[in-house]
Amino acid sequence: MEMPTEKRYPIVMRDIEEDWRNAEHSMGTSIMAVQFDSGVVVAADSRTSMGAYVSNRVSDKLTPVHERIYCCRSGSAAHTQFVADIVKYYLELHSLELNTLPTVLSAAQLFKTVCYRNKNNLTAGIIVGGWDPVHGGSVYSIPLGGVLVRQPFAIGGSGSTFIYGYCDANYKENMTKEEAVAFCRNALSLAMARDGSSGGVIRTAVITKDGVEREMLPGNELPTFFEQ
Amino acid sequence: ESNLGRRKEGGKEEKGVARVGNMSSVGTGYDLSASTFSPDGRVFQINYALKAVENSSTSVALRVKDGVILGAEKLVISKMISPESGRRVHMVDHGIGVAISGFVADARQLVARCQEEAFSYRDIFGSTIPVRVLAQRMANYMQVYTLYSYVRPFGASILIAGVDEENHQPQVFQVEPTGITVGCFGAAIGKGRQSAKTEMEKLDLANLTCEEAVKELAKIIHTIHDDIKDKNFILELGWVSPQSNYKYERVPRELVAQAEKAAKEALGDLSDMEEEDI
């Protein structure tokens, strides 16, 4: 007996590729955050894709949710923007009640609650990185299901799959700021080289007790490796 | 209480006060509900709620160098009552305790609310509720009951004491039926609060350790206890101290026994003689 199939001839390009005209904005993405001696570096690529079309080649995936707390967004652009706005709101109320800077843990816990409770309706992979007076610099990862885990460094997004080995081999504890930024730039550059959904520029934000320093490394200045 | 006479404010009579024999002052017509102000800007129901606390047995809290101590004078109405019941000092979170004075039934509700607030804070933010945040939330909660005519204010005050996880600072807060919260080095509520405060002011709280403070607190409560009007009492003590790893615990029995013994000796207490026929 012949198995029924969905589609017969002719097969057109539309059937093979996702049609970008109707696709959701997705942030294919490579993101990461690294804790170093006096704070945290968060870093991301800048490509937002709708299927095969790059809808924004200079997007900013590093979103502040408080003075010294940033999140890196991967997955659906709409979902992660919405979640980040919610967390920003609650975190502000919280810091007013506390009358001090909120902890990175409290921000991460809020992200986790939203992502976990709405897991069926969200596609959001978030990395939270920041500095607070109680714990210093910390990095928390909240991948798709809504699990919360603290890590010395975290990588996420579709491009991260290509750099697990590189990161595990090259991460050191208590790096200096310059070492941490270089680590991020090298890792993301490798990810962007291999992942079609990641590309553009590398944005970094260095968060310490003294403030946040944001930088952008354009595509033509990215570190290059073997095949590039 | 009927011999206390009228309450006077700065030597003058309060407005709206009726002289009714020897009874304490009443606000004629303006005191029937919490939603009514009197002409001189009082809400009498709140004042009356504070009275309920003033007439109950005493609770004391001390903030010292390395922790906090909570103590309550639990009056024993009858020997038939189990000494464990009628708890006055409760755990509200791992590192925070609460002592109550006033209507015990009202106070139990407040303790339950403290526990809910502490739990929900931990659930939402992932860390222990700071004592000042809990105190402010309880104050806001109690204030709501001073707004409406169909509820009455809580007839209880609470003392919230703990050591903040974030900076290891001991904190003591007093929360009243008015909805005000005040941070204290030493706090006392209930009938013996004035005498307790006098005793506390003699102490150098900032330099006491928790073990020393337990002894001082036992002495304070034994001092203010009115042997004539009230018979026996049980001293309930709780602390958050280095010895308890900065967790709220009832003070260990041996330490309580030592403290009570020292307190009685200091007062030259001869209550052992009461049992004998004279």
Side-chain angles (χ1 to χ4, degrees):
Chain A
M1 191 156 70
E2 215 183 355
M3 295 297 291
T5 50
E6 274 186 43
K7 179 78 182 162
R8 283 282 182 186
Y9 294 99
I11 295 175
V12 295
M13 286 303 281
R14 199 168 58 234
D15 304 320
I16 299 171
E17 287 173 353
E18 221 177 79
D19 187 12
W20 53 262
R21 284 169 293 187
N22 299 318
E24 203 181 275
H25 280 273
S26 130
M27 296 181 306
T29 304
S30 308
I31 50 173
M32 66 190 288
V34 180
Q35 181 186 336
F36 65 96
D37 58 16
S38 50
V40 154
V41 181
V42 294
D45 75 308
S46 67
R47 178 170 295 180
T48 308
S49 33
M50 282 166 70
Y53 173 66
V54 177
S55 56
N56 186 352
R57 60 185 171 91
V58 286
S59 42
D60 183 4
K61 304 179 188 180
L62 303 175
T63 309
V65 288
H66 205 267
E67 253 181 70
R68 298 272 193 284
I69 306 177
Y70 268 68
C71 71
C72 312
R73 300 180 291 115
S74 72
S76 157
H79 292 178
T80 53
Q81 278 180 8
F82 199 82
V83 171
D85 285 344
I86 291 172
V87 171
K88 192 170 179 178
Y89 170 78
Y90 282 110
L91 209 51
E92 172 151 357
L93 287 183
H94 175 51
S95 84
L96 286 173
E97 188 180 30
L98 273 185
N99 210 26
T100 56
L101 285 176
T103 57
V104 185
L105 172 59
S106 59
Q109 191 85 356
L110 288 168
F111 268 113
K112 176 214 78 179
T113 302
V114 176
C115 291
Y116 177 76
R117 299 273 175 215
N118 298 288
K119 59 160 69 188
N120 293 332
N121 300 315
L122 285 177
T123 308
I126 293 178
I127 297 177
V128 183
W131 183 91
D132 64 67
V134 181
H135 301 112
S138 15
V139 170
Y140 293 86
S141 184
I142 302 144
L144 248 40
V147 63
L148 170 65
V149 61
R150 182 176 179 190
Q151 297 173 294
F153 76 95
I155 54 177
S158 58
S160 68
T161 55
F162 304 102
I163 54 171
Y164 275 96
Y166 176 83
C167 289
D168 287 343
N170 289 290
Y171 171 75
K172 294 176 317 204
E173 282 192 340
N174 290 323
M175 288 188 273
T176 64
K177 181 177 88 167
E178 291 71 25
E179 286 174 330
V181 172
F183 174 58
C184 285
R185 285 179 172 161
N186 288 337
L188 289 187
S189 186
L190 286 164
M192 287 151 73
R194 289 292 184 179
D195 179 28
S197 310
S198 302
V201 308
I202 296 184
R203 296 194 192 277
T204 54
V206 178
I207 309 169
T208 59
K209 72 168 171 25
D210 301 318
V212 180
E213 292 164 29
R214 297 213 53 172
E215 272 179 20
M216 185 270 291
L217 195 62
N220 58 337
E221 290 176 32
L222 299 184
T224 53
F225 297 88
F226 170 60
E227 79 300 341
Q228 288 162 307
Chain B
E1 282 100 77
S2 61
N3 290 324
L4 284 177
R6 276 194 307 286
R7 241 177 346 146
K8 291 193 182 174
E9 204 65 43
K12 286 197 269 187
E13 297 272 351
E14 295 171 37
K15 280 192 202 152
V17 167
R19 285 185 188 226
V20 188
N22 288 331
M23 279 167 63
S24 40
S25 56
V26 296
T28 323
Y30 301 112
D31 63 343
L32 296 176
S33 86
S35 65
T36 308
F37 277 104
S38 75
D40 57 343
R42 263 179 252 275
V43 177
F44 278 103
Q45 280 295 308
I46 302 180
N47 293 24
Y48 299 159
L50 284 166
K51 257 286 177 219
V53 180
E54 280 170 24
N55 292 337
S56 82
S57 59
T58 317
S59 299
V60 180
L62 295 178
R63 169 181 160 186
V64 294
K65 189 168 64 174
D66 54 358
V68 293
I69 322 281
L70 284 162
E73 168 204 25
K74 185 163 80 179
L75 298 176
V76 175
I77 331 168
S78 153
K79 288 194 179 140
M80 289 289 105
I81 294 178
S82 156
E84 276 307 297
S85 65
R87 282 240 106 222
R88 298 275 304 283
V89 185
H90 297 89
M91 177 169 91
V92 142
D93 194 38
H94 298 307
I96 305 180
V98 146
I100 62 183
S101 273
F103 287 177
V104 181
D106 287 12
R108 277 301 297 143
Q109 289 285 64
L110 293 175
V111 170
R113 180 79 189 198
C114 284
Q115 290 165 341
E116 279 163 26
E117 290 284 358
F119 174 76
S120 96
Y121 184 99
R122 186 186 293 282
D123 192 41
I124 296 172
F125 297 111
S127 59
T128 313
I129 189 168
V131 184
R132 68 186 186 284
V133 171
L134 177 60
Q136 191 56 60
R137 289 198 185 181
M138 289 312 298
N140 294 346
Y141 180 69
M142 289 167 81
Q143 187 270 345
V144 170
Y145 290 79
T146 67
L147 295 172
Y148 307 110
S149 61
Y150 49 84
V151 292
R152 61 165 175 77
F154 285 93
S157 287
I158 57 177
L159 299 175
I160 308 178
V163 177
D164 276 340
E165 212 175 53
E166 53 190 18
N167 53 14
H168 301 290
Q169 272 277 74
Q171 305 270 26
V172 167
F173 286 85
Q174 175 175 334
V175 192
E176 295 175 333
T178 48
I180 296 173
T181 176
V182 156
C184 310
F185 292 99
I189 47 179
K191 63 173 78 153
R193 72 192 177 292
Q194 297 290 27
S195 331
K197 282 184 188 156
T198 316
E199 295 301 313
M200 283 192 289
E201 278 163 17
K202 298 176 188 164
L203 300 173
D204 178 18
L205 290 171
N207 289 315
L208 277 181
T209 64
C210 282
E211 288 202 29
E212 292 164 352
V214 168
K215 298 205 170 79
E216 294 296 342
L217 201 135
K219 212 176 350 165
I220 292 174
I221 295 201
H222 276 267
T223 309
I224 59 162
H225 175 68
D226 189 340
D227 279 321
I228 306 161
K229 285 210 187 122
D230 305 312
K231 283 286 178 174
N232 283 326
F233 76 101
I234 293 175
L235 176 61
E236 265 187 40
L237 287 172
W239 69 355
V240 183
S241 68
Q243 289 88 338
S244 71
N245 280 321
Y246 296 107
K247 299 275 167 248
Y248 173 82
E249 272 181 12
R250 285 157 57 174
V251 175
R253 233 168 294 168
E254 316 82 51
L255 198 47
V256 176
Q258 274 174 34
E260 286 207 87
K261 184 155 167 284
K264 284 179 185 161
E265 278 166 15
L267 292 173
D269 202 315
L270 301 170
S271 60
D272 308 341
M273 300 281 273
E274 277 179 33
E275 305 295 299
E276 298 182 21
D277 288 326
I278 296 176

